[in-house]
Amino acid sequence: MRIGAHVSIARGFPSVFDNIKSIGGNCAQIFSHSPRSWKFKDVQKAEEFRERYKKEDVSPIVIHNSYLVNLASLDKELHRKSMENMRKEFETAEILGVNYVNIHPGSNKDVKIGLNRIVESLNDIETKAYLLLENTASGIGSEFERLRYITENITIKCGVTLDTCHTYAAGYDIVSNLDNVLDEFDSIMGLEKLKLIHLNDSKFELGSKRDRHEHIGLGKIGMEGFRNFINHPKLRDIPEILETPVDKRRGFKENIEIVKGLVE
Ligand code: MN
Ligand code: MN
Ligand code: ZN
């Protein structure tokens, strides 16, 4: 199985390999820069990163975009900065030889306006990398039909990331009705579009629309929910990235061990 976590690259891009291996993972997600800042530094040690990416058994590595980006915004300045930031993310991905850039769709009170703004924005970006559109707990990205509207109207290569916490909080019952949820995803989007899973338990209940991650098994999805989820034949081969809390109870290492222990 491919299981990993969102890890730091504070000591440079190549440090992702040691960081993820030290906690027992074999795939990883990173921020290419501080996710709460618009600033980018020049990409350092790209060659070393590419070399190690070829050699090491760590794959895929995914770049997660900045929290500040909102491609659905009608605010001109915010949108301009968001576009500049997205172009930088894709540029960084290409320099590093990373295939996937994971993004949140964006937010706008008017879903239709927001969706069209996202589509226009993404069609104004050129890249060889893959865009991964992540579903959200509430707002524009919380329904499969809306994600499809985006993926079927953009020209860059794209797939979808399903975040288990977001999916559950959005109202899709992956605990008691996983087969139905996957059938629904398949008929709307096509299962082949599912490229990545963010594996997080949810602090809040089904349909709460609240995005609060919990340790695996300690939230409303629960240990049996995850056992069922990760062993589902349609999901077994999809890489899984943890974005669980790091606190006194557990870090990523413990959550990775727990997930591995659930594999049947
Ligand atoms: Mn995310
Ligand atoms: Mn996520
Ligand atoms: Zn989340």
Side-chain angles (χ1 to χ4, degrees):
M1 78 181 307
R2 288 279 147 195
I3 174 80
H6 188 108
V7 292
S8 161
I9 50 137
R11 285 179 291 111
F13 285 105
S15 67
V16 65
F17 298 102
D18 295 327
N19 291 345
I20 194 64
K21 287 196 293 187
S22 74
I23 55 174
N26 59 6
C27 60
Q29 181 172 277
I30 57 175
F31 290 125
S32 68
H33 65 292
S34 164
R36 297 183 196 285
S37 154
W38 292 108
K39 284 190 197 121
F40 272 83
K41 291 183 202 141
D42 285 342
V43 179
Q44 307 276 343
K45 298 186 190 168
E47 206 141 305
E48 185 186 337
F49 178 94
R50 295 177 78 109
E51 278 306 303
R52 289 192 70 177
Y53 201 10
K54 268 182 234 154
K55 273 186 232 148
E56 308 257 10
D57 181 30
V58 175
S59 173
I61 295 176
V62 177
I63 292 177
H64 192 298
N65 79 334
S66 155
Y67 294 133
L68 302 172
V69 166
N70 185 1
L71 295 179
S73 177
L74 294 178
D75 179 307
K76 275 206 171 117
E77 185 55 12
L78 175 59
H79 189 264
R80 187 192 64 74
K81 283 175 161 173
S82 296
M83 288 298 287
E84 192 181 289
N85 191 281
M86 284 310 308
R87 290 196 178 99
K88 287 267 189 197
E89 295 288 12
F90 282 111
E91 204 180 291
T92 304
E94 289 186 18
I95 292 170
L96 293 172
V98 161
N99 250 325
Y100 292 131
V101 176
N102 183 97
I103 79 162
H104 293 188
S107 60
N108 190 306
K109 282 193 195 100
D110 188 307
V111 172
K112 220 177 154 191
I113 290 174
L115 280 172
N116 286 317
R117 188 90 170 132
I118 294 164
V119 167
E120 277 167 31
S121 307
L122 291 171
N123 280 335
D124 208 13
I125 287 172
E126 275 179 58
T127 179
K128 280 177 266 172
Y130 242 93
L131 169 82
L132 294 182
L133 200 59
E134 178 175 355
N135 73 319
T136 50
S138 62
I140 292 179
S142 62
E143 292 178 17
F144 298 159
E145 287 87 352
R146 299 177 188 166
L147 297 176
R148 179 184 64 184
Y149 182 82
I150 299 170
T151 60
E152 74 183 7
N153 283 295
I154 62 176
T155 51
I156 54 176
K157 289 181 286 181
C158 66
V160 170
T161 298
L162 277 187
D163 182 308
T164 50
C165 167
H166 301 176
T167 305
Y168 192 69
Y172 294 103
D173 192 355
I174 54 173
V175 175
S176 341
N177 261 318
L178 181 58
D179 278 316
N180 289 354
V181 174
L182 292 177
D183 285 348
E184 192 179 339
F185 182 88
D186 193 23
S187 68
I188 293 169
M189 183 71 74
L191 256 180
E192 70 286 350
K193 280 268 184 229
L194 180 59
K195 303 291 186 201
L196 186 70
I197 289 162
H198 282 169
L199 208 60
N200 305 306
D201 210 332
S202 172
K203 263 201 170 67
F204 295 103
E205 63 279 8
L206 177 69
S208 64
K209 309 278 178 195
R210 297 178 72 182
D211 180 5
R212 293 285 300 280
H213 301 184
E214 182 53 285
H215 292 298
I216 299 301
L218 301 186
K220 300 294 180 189
I221 296 174
M223 211 57 95
E224 287 316 301
F226 279 102
R227 188 192 305 280
N228 188 34
F229 187 91
I230 64 169
N231 289 300
H232 195 286
K234 289 181 176 164
L235 302 174
R236 289 192 91 118
D237 297 329
I238 314 285
E240 295 168 323
I241 298 282
L242 293 159
E243 298 171 318
T244 42
V246 174
D247 57 26
K248 274 183 228 152
R249 295 171 297 165
R250 288 183 207 162
F252 287 130
K253 191 171 192 228
E254 291 75 22
N255 279 314
I256 287 176
E257 264 161 36
I258 285 165
V259 171
K260 285 179 176 172
L262 292 174
V263 176
E264 284 161 358

